[in-house]
């Protein structure tokens, strides 16, 4: 069964450093999402792409976070500079974009620890 | 999007049915009810969704009340591997994204 691939699985970085996460969605899925999940809470949407275009980035802290999906396939989420409060699980999801039968498929996530 | 209310936690016995309630009293006519679950250290996994009618698949059954203000997810024969956080989410047909709450932590005990 096709899966959403994410790397790295774990990342430890120091405060003020730059960090990047990569996501490869299921082939053919036009919609891609980045979520952040703080321990003990549900995932929170950071950014949503439709093909290469950003549909919703209202919850993305744009002073330090950036996301791109240049060719409408894989995507990168970057944090620069990282802060202690950024420690969380970063989840990528993709979906085929069917309004009445929409299902999101999630990757296993990248666990970020900022020291 | 309408908000949902779920109990923070519940236990159930292995082999028995698990009934997970969800309240969504402000749901509107063009909003679906979705259920996802998240096993520890993994990404959320789709379980089932419905609009008005009850739905069943290989994982679970979804019972939606006639007024659509609440629903119940039924795991017919819970196993230890069903221990997870279960999220009930209301999604507009006009908006692909999902907004997660805190969910219900379900612990299946032997």
């Amino acid at each position: 069964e096709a899966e959403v691939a994410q790397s790295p699985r774990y990342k430890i970085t120091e405060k003020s450093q730059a960090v990047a996460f990569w996501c490869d969605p299921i082939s053919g899925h036009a919609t891609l999402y980045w979520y952040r999940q703080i321990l003990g809470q549900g995932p929170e949407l950071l950014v949503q792409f439709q093909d290469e275009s950003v549909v919703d980035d209202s919850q993305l802290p744009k002073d330090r976070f950036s996301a791109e999906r240049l060719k409408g396939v894989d995507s990168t989420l970057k944090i620069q500079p990282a802060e202690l409060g950024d420690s969380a699980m970063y989840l990528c999801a993709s979906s085929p974009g069917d309004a009445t039968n929409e299902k999101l498929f999630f990757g296993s996530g990248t666990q970020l620890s900022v020291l | 999007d309408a908000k949902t209310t779920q109990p923070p936690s519940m236990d159930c016995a292995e082999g028995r049915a698990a009934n997970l309630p969800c309240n969504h009293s402000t749901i509107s006519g063009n909003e679906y009810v979705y259920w996802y679950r998240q096993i520890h250290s993994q990404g959320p996994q789709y379980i089932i969704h419905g609009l008005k009618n009850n739905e069943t698949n290989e994982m679970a059954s979804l019972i939606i009340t006639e007024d659509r203000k609440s629903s119940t997810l039924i795991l017919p024969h819970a196993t230890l591997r069903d221990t997870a956080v279960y999220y009930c989410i209301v999604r507009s047909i006009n908006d692909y994204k999902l907004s997660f709450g805190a969910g219900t932590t379900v612990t299946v005990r032997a």
Side-chain angles (χ1 to χ4, degrees):
Chain A
E1 183 176 278
E3 294 183 344
V4 175
Q6 289 190 247
S7 66
R9 185 72 176 91
Y10 301 95
K11 179 70 178 179
I12 299 173
T13 191
E14 293 185 344
K15 188 176 66 169
S16 79
Q17 294 298 303
V19 64
F21 314 128
W22 177 80
C23 172
D24 190 13
I26 293 173
S27 178
H29 281 191
T31 310
L32 184 147
Y33 309 80
W34 283 101
Y35 281 82
R36 176 173 62 186
Q37 186 173 25
I38 295 169
L39 188 64
Q41 300 180 17
E44 170 198 21
L45 179 68
L46 292 175
V47 62
Q48 175 186 350
F49 288 92
Q50 182 69 27
D51 299 312
E52 66 275 10
S53 300
V54 173
V55 174
D56 184 352
D57 64 356
S58 58
Q59 300 303 311
L60 188 71
K62 299 181 189 61
D63 57 336
R64 298 185 300 107
F65 285 64
S66 64
E68 61 183 15
R69 193 184 184 198
L70 293 176
K71 297 183 180 179
V73 180
D74 59 340
S75 175
T76 303
L77 178 69
K78 298 179 181 177
I79 308 175
Q80 183 173 16
E83 296 181 352
L84 296 178
D86 296 331
S87 294
M89 173 77 83
Y90 290 83
L91 293 159
C92 178
S94 69
S95 66
D98 180 345
T100 61
N101 196 33
E102 184 71 337
K103 300 173 189 175
L104 268 63
F105 296 83
F106 284 83
S108 295
T110 295
Q111 182 66 53
L112 173 67
S113 297
V114 182
L115 306 178
Chain B
D1 287 348
K3 293 186 176 179
T4 63
T5 303
Q6 298 178 253
S9 64
M10 60 183 295
D11 287 358
C12 63
E14 187 179 23
R16 303 294 294 272
N19 297 301
L20 283 61
C22 179
N23 181 284
H24 32 80
S25 57
T26 60
I27 194 170
S28 61
N30 66 345
E31 291 180 319
Y32 289 81
V33 179
Y34 276 75
W35 284 84
Y36 280 73
R37 74 178 183 184
Q38 188 172 23
I39 296 170
H40 182 63
S41 296
Q42 297 182 21
Q45 175 192 24
Y46 167 83
I47 300 174
I48 200 167
H49 76 282
L51 183 63
K52 290 188 286 188
N53 299 323
N54 298 337
E55 302 287 345
T56 295
N57 62 20
E58 66 279 3
M59 290 183 70
S61 295
L62 173 61
I63 308 298
I64 303 175
T65 58
E66 191 169 342
D67 63 8
R68 303 186 68 240
K69 293 184 176 182
S70 65
S71 61
T72 301
L73 179 74
I74 301 173
L75 308 177
H77 304 286
T79 71
L80 298 179
R81 288 177 294 180
D82 292 322
T83 292
V85 179
Y86 287 76
Y87 298 99
C88 172
I89 303 164
V90 169
R91 181 189 76 85
S92 169
I93 192 173
N94 301 313
D95 189 356
Y96 292 143
K97 67 177 181 283
L98 297 175
S99 298
F100 289 81
T104 296
T105 298
V106 174
T107 303
V108 180
R109 302 191 186 279

